[in-house]
Amino acid sequence: MRTRFEEQLSELSHELILMGSLCENAIALSARALMEDNVQLAREVPALSERIEGKERTIEELCLKLLLRQQPVARDLRSISSALKMVTDMERIGHQSADIAEIVTMENISSGEDLQRIHAMASAVISMVTDSIDAFVKEDEELARSVIRCDDAVDDSFDQVKNALIRRLAASETEGSSALDLLMIAKYLERIGDHAVNIAGWVLYSITGRLESENQ
C-alpha cells in the first residue's frame, strides 16, 4: 500500500513540475511578445493558460485520491494540502500571463527604457516561479526562502516602473494610453511574483509544519 502511495506522490511531483514549466513558458512567451511587439506570439499564450487550468484539475483530482484512498502521515498530508494550495496560485500565474499577452495584442505599446525595466521584472519573476516549484520538488527550505526574499526586489522594480510611467504621463499626454498599458503589465508581473511567494510559503509549510507568517 505504501509503495503505491509513494508512486502517486511521485506522480504528484511530476505533474507539479509540468504545470510549473507551463507557467514559466506562459510568462516567458508573453514577455517575449511584449519585447518584440509580436502579436502572433501573444496569441499563443491563452492556449498555454488553458493547459495550465487543465493541469490544475488533474493535480486536484490526484490530491483528492491521495487523501481519500490512502492514509497519509502528517508530513505527507502537509505536502498534499500544500500542492492543493499551490496549484491555485499557479493557475493565476497562467491567467495573468494571458492578460499581459492580451494587452500586447492591442498593439498600443511604444518601446523605451520603461519596456527594458519591465523585461527585467519579467526575468526576475520567471526565476521566482521556477525556484518555488523546484523548492517543493527538492524539499529545499532555503530555496523557498530565497524566493520570498526576491519579492522585495520585484516590488522595488514595480515602484520604479510606476514612477517612471507617471513622469511620462505628465510629460506627454499623447503617450498616456501606452504608459497605462505598461503600468498594467508591470502590475500583473508584480502579482505573479506574489503568487510565487505564496507557493514558496506553502513549500515551507510542507517542510516545517508552520505557515510562513509563523516562520518569520
Side-chain angles (χ1 to χ4, degrees), residues 202-214:
W202 287 110
V203 170
L204 290 175
Y205 170 72
S206 71
I207 296 170
T208 67
R210 299 187 303 277
L211 294 175
E212 179 52 26
S213 59
E214 300 171 12

Side-chain angles (χ1 to χ4, degrees), residues 34 100 103 109 114-115 118 121 157-166 168-169 175-191:
L34 173 65
I100 292 171
I103 294 174
I109 295 173
D114 301 323
L115 197 57
I118 289 175
M121 273 187 74
S157 294
F158 172 72
D159 288 338
Q160 291 173 19
V161 169
K162 180 179 67 176
N163 292 334
L165 290 171
I166 289 172
R168 183 167 158 186
L169 279 166
E175 292 199 32
S177 181
S178 175
L180 288 173
D181 282 346
L182 285 172
L183 182 58
M184 185 64 70
I185 288 172
K187 187 60 180 178
Y188 283 136
L189 289 171
E190 184 201 30
R191 288 177 179 172

Side-chain angles (χ1 to χ4, degrees), residues 82-206:
S82 295
L84 281 169
K85 294 288 188 178
M86 289 164 59
V87 294
T88 300
D89 282 293
M90 292 165 75
E91 186 276 333
R92 296 307 303 162
I93 288 171
H95 186 76
Q96 285 159 358
S97 296
D99 287 338
I100 292 171
E102 183 179 1
I103 294 174
V104 175
T105 63
M106 296 176 185
E107 300 185 86
N108 190 41
I109 295 173
S110 56
S111 61
E113 187 178 349
D114 301 323
L115 197 57
Q116 294 297 327
R117 289 195 185 101
I118 289 175
H119 186 255
M121 273 187 74
S123 296
V125 164
I126 291 169
S127 294
M128 289 174 69
V129 173
T130 300
D131 288 347
S132 64
I133 302 302
D134 284 349
F136 177 81
V137 173
K138 298 173 182 176
E139 298 184 347
D140 189 330
E141 183 176 346
E142 181 51 37
L143 185 57
R145 292 191 183 282
S146 74
V147 172
I148 295 171
R149 289 194 294 268
C150 286
D151 192 46
D152 287 340
V154 171
D155 288 344
D156 288 343
S157 294
F158 172 72
D159 288 338
Q160 291 173 19
V161 169
K162 180 179 67 176
N163 292 334
L165 290 171
I166 289 172
R167 291 193 296 269
R168 183 167 158 186
L169 279 166
S172 173
E173 293 182 3
T174 60
E175 292 199 32
S177 181
S178 175
L180 288 173
D181 282 346
L182 285 172
L183 182 58
M184 185 64 70
I185 288 172
K187 187 60 180 178
Y188 283 136
L189 289 171
E190 184 201 30
R191 288 177 179 172
I192 290 172
D194 289 340
H195 289 304
V197 168
N198 289 345
I199 293 169
W202 287 110
V203 170
L204 290 175
Y205 170 72
S206 71

